[in-house]
Amino acid sequence: MDDAELLDRMRSKKAPTTALLGLELEAINQEAGTTRFRMVAKPEFCNPMGNLQGGIITTALDDAAATAVIAKSRRRVGVPTIEFKISFFGPARVGESFFFEGRVLKLGRTISFAEADMLDGKGKLLARLTTSCMVIDVEGPGLFAGE
């Protein structure tokens, strides 16, 4: 399946967290192991100061990184997180659009390493997640590639 076909498939069958957050997959590159999502910060995801809550940001970054690993693997896999680290560099205000760019650092047979950045509309880095995850072959029905 080429990048355009995978992009269409992932757009039509969103993961539950991706749908909940309103993440829209804009780009995917299987060879490079990269993804780009867009999201508008909803009021129900904000803290009392009107900023996107850190757990919401973390979830979006984790989805971007995991999707990059799935794409790079070019097979049906699950990618449960083993560990992650998140750094926040600035606030994300309600109503603004944000971008979550995931990339594979190393794709292994059983363990992979990835990271994802959160950028505002001007390209300013607001948060970065680094993660390691297991790569587990998936059999039976699934949401994305290889159903």
Side-chain angles (χ1 to χ4, degrees):
M1 168 177 322
D2 67 19
D3 289 345
E5 291 168 327
L6 184 59
L7 182 62
D8 286 344
R9 184 176 191 90
M10 287 185 157
R11 283 179 175 166
S12 70
K13 297 188 176 201
K14 293 182 180 182
T17 53
T18 303
L20 175 69
L21 295 178
L23 285 167
E24 296 296 329
L25 184 58
E26 292 190 333
I28 194 162
N29 183 314
Q30 296 174 88
E31 183 66 31
T34 60
T35 58
R36 181 177 170 94
F37 289 86
R38 181 181 174 275
M39 183 180 93
V40 175
K42 299 176 187 178
E44 59 267 35
F45 295 153
C46 292
N47 63 28
M49 296 186 62
N51 297 320
L52 199 55
Q53 198 270 344
I56 299 294
I57 293 169
T58 302
T59 302
L61 288 166
D62 188 51
D63 274 5
T67 304
V69 174
I70 291 166
K72 179 92 173 157
S73 73
R74 294 183 180 248
R75 63 186 202 276
R76 294 219 31 244
V77 295
V79 289
T81 302
I82 296 171
E83 60 80 31
F84 67 79
K85 177 188 183 294
I86 181 118
S87 299
F88 298 99
F89 306 115
R93 301 293 297 172
V94 66
E96 293 181 21
S97 290
F98 299 98
F99 300 93
F100 297 85
E101 297 179 346
R103 63 196 156 276
V104 175
L105 301 174
K106 181 180 184 335
L107 182 67
R109 286 183 306 182
T110 57
I111 305 293
S112 290
F113 301 89
E115 62 184 12
D117 289 339
M118 177 187 187
L119 308 166
D120 68 11
K122 296 177 183 174
K124 180 180 177 184
L125 180 64
L126 300 178
R128 175 170 287 161
L129 173 133
T130 57
T131 186
S132 57
C133 60
M134 295 180 70
V135 179
I136 301 171
D137 288 315
V138 174
E139 296 181 18
L143 293 173
F144 302 131
E147 279 188 348

